[in-house]
Amino acid sequence: MGVVGVGAPLTSAAGIRWNVWVLLGCTVAIAVVVLVVQRFARNPLTQPAWSRTGSLTVAAGVVAAGGIATLTLLRGTYGLDSVPQGWDAPYHGNGIRFIAETGNAGNRAFGWIDVPDNPAGAFYPNAYHAFESIIYKLTGVTIPLVMNTGMVVTAALVVPLGTVALVKAFGGRAGFAAASALVSTSFAAYPFDLWQWGQLYPYVAGLSLILPFLALFVRWLDARADRLGVLVAVVAVGLAAVHSAMMFVAVLLVLCYLVQRAWPAPREFLRRDLPRLGLLTVGAAVIAIPYLIGASTMAGRTSAYNWPAVTTPSRAFGDAVLLGHEAEAPQYLLAALSLFGFYLMLREPVWRWALGAYVVFLGLFVAADSVDAAWATAITSPWWNDRWRLVAVLVLPATLAAGWALNHLVKLVEPRGQVVLLVVAALVAGGYLVVTHGYVGRNAIRLHWTFRSTVVTDQERQGLLELGKIVKPGERVMNDGVDGTVWMYALSGAEPIVGHYPNPATMSPRRKLLLDRFNQITTDSAAAQVVRDLNIRYAVVSSGLMADFRRSPGMVDLDDVAALKAVYRNRDFQLYEVDWSRLAR
């Protein structure tokens, strides 16, 4: 994602279409920079490798975690080609197809989706979409399949491997890495709940890169390998390019680690580490300028957003610590392992930063979940005051703690020899899986509602595919943003008038007029003129409504509009052609 984050804005500024060849070119350019730096860099310190047995143990933990994640997603989505039907999913789907079709990977290009009448567009970090657009172009599969396959790759590979990378960077034992990987895909709050609440695909992608980033950062500081500094800066840009909140997550975790690092010898830290940190910060900030400027333009909007508190501070605390956020029952065993692991980590100075980070984000979550006050909104604004996003961050340190606890149980028999150690490790891991089943069923069920709802039924999806065969390039389709037709562009390639669920704060006057009076285009000259201006040739409605939305006034009783002729219809979907000769003058 770092390569994408660096390259995508440059292609937009240079007027170059974003594609796989540009991505490969950016990769080669960054590799050349790394080689040049290495040519004049100091020799890094090496890190002892795990034994073959240890490496195989880690691989087993990663494979088991990957299996848990894959099974959870296959069961939870009813198949990877299912249409994700949460709030943000169509926005991301439309964005992926837009970059693939137009080659425009600029970070203000998505304005056509939610602010289509604003010539300047609207900032949105889109490295996730730019990367997925290449997958879409290379494979030719559907947008939902691209998005959902990305879920599997993230949960089954990036999450456990990122955990392993961090443990390795801190010099942790193979057993600790294997145990942490094993439990990494059992937590509900991350990653699975983020794919049912809001369906925050970029947020999950960004969060999955946090631990690998920390691993690289720690190795750079410890080994004093200058070439790694280039990679740290590029990955840091990638975090900002995937989701702006990742900058704040990374900074807070890094600060917790740096406080721990500086505490024993502050003068040594100031002399050796601080200058290098300053240089890295400046370099990363220069490369990330497009995202820093863009994020600053959104600061007012995010700081003003405020979800109402839903519980008391004490209950919010309990929900977070016991891993029971918005659940019928907590994940008791995982919670017990995490708490026991944090207790044990207090005795290990190298890992105390993880507990500190946990406490920081626990406080932020409690504030978002239970406090209706200006200060709570302010400190949680980078996460849109969203408790789901904050509780997910808690899983990062909790995963390490749970892994530490499991590994501790195994280490109790270490004096008895290698064979006994391996047998006990297998029994502990097997016991965890037998008792919890990796929480596969529990976590899969939480995904069901958003992958098999009535917003986009099979009939509606078929109708959108038929629409794509009828509508010609350049023609637009009038739709109502309260139903599944917001998926139109992603599924069919036809351009809708409303590309995302409507937000009154960003709805343009012309779109608002049409949603209010489109069914009066034979008598309302203003509405008819907007139809001509936007080249609207078709109109569509579908039966499934999102959440508590109601059909817009201008999109009811379309069968009675003389200027509309039905050209396709099934049980859940109606498509009309607009007869311009009957529009009001």
Side-chain angles (χ1 to χ4, degrees):
M1 287 298 178
V3 176
V4 177
V6 172
L10 297 178
T11 62
S12 175
I16 302 172
R17 288 181 62 91
W18 174 257
N19 55 48
V20 66
W21 299 111
V22 172
L23 176 61
L24 291 175
C26 294
T27 305
V28 171
I30 292 174
V32 169
V33 173
V34 172
L35 291 174
V36 170
V37 172
Q38 183 180 9
R39 175 69 176 80
F40 301 98
R42 291 163 289 190
N43 294 324
L45 300 174
T46 58
Q47 189 176 49
W50 289 321
S51 67
R52 179 178 298 179
T53 301
S55 298
L56 290 174
T57 302
V58 172
V62 171
V63 169
I68 290 170
T70 302
L71 192 57
T72 300
L73 292 172
L74 289 177
R75 288 186 180 181
T77 60
Y78 297 96
L80 296 181
D81 197 36
S82 298
V83 177
Q85 301 182 30
W87 290 102
D88 293 0
Y91 184 96
H92 301 313
N94 290 335
I96 291 169
R97 182 152 190 165
F98 176 81
I99 295 177
E101 298 286 351
T102 66
N104 182 359
N107 57 28
R108 301 190 70 87
F110 287 2
W112 75 270
I113 299 177
D114 54 357
V115 286
D117 290 330
N118 183 355
F123 170 76
Y124 199 94
N126 61 358
Y128 162 81
H129 309 84
F131 179 80
E132 294 284 49
S133 72
I134 289 177
I135 304 301
Y136 173 67
K137 291 290 285 187
L138 290 176
T139 62
V141 300
T142 65
I143 294 292
L145 183 56
V146 169
M147 295 172 65
N148 296 338
T149 303
M151 284 197 312
V152 174
V153 172
T154 298
L157 288 178
V158 183
V159 169
L161 288 176
T163 305
V164 170
L166 186 64
V167 173
K168 179 64 174 174
F170 276 90
R173 297 171 50 141
F176 175 28
S180 298
L182 174 66
V183 301
S184 64
T185 56
S186 295
F187 293 86
Y190 165 74
F192 305 109
D193 277 358
L194 296 176
W195 285 317
Q196 60 100 356
W197 167 257
Q199 298 200 293
L200 308 175
Y201 284 82
Y203 190 87
V204 180
L207 209 53
S208 72
L209 299 176
I210 290 292
L211 294 189
F213 166 75
L214 285 176
L216 194 61
F217 177 80
V218 170
R219 282 297 297 149
W220 169 69
L221 270 183
D222 285 346
R224 301 184 64 79
D226 294 332
R227 72 176 184 274
L228 290 182
V230 177
L231 297 181
V232 172
V234 170
V235 176
V237 173
L239 293 177
V242 174
H243 198 288
S244 298
M246 294 307 111
M247 293 186 289
F248 295 90
V249 175
V251 166
L252 288 175
L253 292 178
V254 165
L255 286 176
C256 289
Y257 168 69
L258 291 180
V259 168
Q260 174 186 287
R261 185 181 179 94
W263 189 265
R267 291 185 178 179
E268 184 71 8
F269 174 81
L270 293 175
R271 183 180 66 84
R272 294 188 56 182
D273 292 341
L274 194 60
R276 299 177 69 221
L277 289 168
L279 184 61
L280 173 69
T281 302
V282 171
V286 170
I287 305 173
I289 281 178
Y291 303 103
L292 297 177
I293 294 176
S296 68
T297 65
M298 295 290 291
R301 184 175 172 187
T302 57
S303 62
Y305 210 87
N306 181 26
W307 289 93
V310 296
T311 187
T312 63
S314 58
R315 288 183 178 178
F317 181 87
D319 284 346
V321 171
L322 296 179
L323 305 176
H325 177 240
E326 290 292 337
E328 294 182 2
Q331 293 181 286
Y332 286 112
L333 183 55
L334 268 181
L337 289 172
S338 299
L339 292 174
F340 183 44
F342 280 128
Y343 167 73
L344 295 173
M345 282 179 162
L346 281 174
R347 300 185 295 182
E348 294 290 335
V350 72
W351 288 107
R352 288 174 185 165
W353 69 269
L355 178 57
Y358 181 84
V359 171
V360 169
F361 280 98
L362 177 60
L364 290 171
F365 166 75
V366 171
D369 198 31
S370 61
V371 180
D372 275 325
W375 65 264
T377 302
I379 64 174
T380 60
S381 61
W383 298 271
W384 293 80
N385 187 232
D386 186 355
R387 53 200 168 93
W388 294 83
R389 303 182 198 218
L390 287 164
V391 77
V393 184
L394 286 173
V395 173
L396 300 181
T399 298
L400 299 170
W404 187 280
L406 274 182
N407 185 52
H408 176 78
L409 297 176
V410 174
K411 284 167 55 181
L412 294 176
V413 300
E414 189 171 20
R416 297 178 180 270
Q418 184 76 8
V419 174
V420 174
L421 185 68
L422 290 175
V423 171
V424 172
L427 290 175
V428 170
Y432 169 78
L433 294 175
V434 168
V435 172
T436 66
H437 301 286
Y439 292 97
V440 168
R442 180 187 189 277
N443 293 339
I445 289 173
R446 293 168 72 84
L447 291 167
H448 283 174
W449 76 271
T450 196
F451 282 93
R452 183 62 71 176
S453 76
T454 58
V455 178
V456 184
T457 65
D458 291 339
Q459 289 290 298
E460 290 174 90
R461 184 173 184 176
Q462 182 59 42
L464 289 172
L465 294 177
E466 292 297 325
L467 177 151
K469 301 174 184 177
I470 296 172
V471 179
K472 298 180 179 62
E475 297 178 337
R476 291 193 175 100
V477 182
M478 179 62 200
N479 68 308
D480 197 348
V482 301
D483 59 27
T485 60
V486 291
W487 268 97
M488 182 190 305
Y489 184 72
L491 294 179
S492 72
E495 185 178 345
I497 291 300
V498 184
H500 191 44
Y501 299 117
N503 180 353
T506 59
M507 180 65 65
S508 72
R510 292 195 298 180
R511 263 72 178 175
K512 181 70 168 59
L513 184 150
L514 288 174
L515 290 174
D516 288 341
R517 291 149 50 186
F518 180 76
N519 53 9
Q520 303 172 36
I521 55 176
T522 56
T523 58
D524 188 317
S525 58
Q529 187 58 48
V530 175
V531 169
R532 296 187 186 94
D533 292 343
L534 296 179
N535 196 29
I536 298 174
R537 298 289 177 168
Y538 294 88
V540 63
V541 290
S542 62
S543 61
L545 300 182
M546 182 64 179
D548 297 326
F549 282 149
R550 295 183 178 182
R551 180 70 61 201
S552 298
M555 297 300 291
V556 300
D557 301 325
L558 297 189
D559 285 332
D560 299 332
V561 179
L564 300 179
K565 174 186 176 182
V567 294
Y568 176 86
R569 188 187 302 267
N570 64 35
R571 185 184 67 235
D572 300 326
F573 184 91
Q574 299 84 43
L575 175 65
Y576 304 88
E577 184 176 9
V578 180
D579 183 352
W580 278 28
S581 67
R582 297 196 174 192
L583 296 178
R585 297 293 179 181

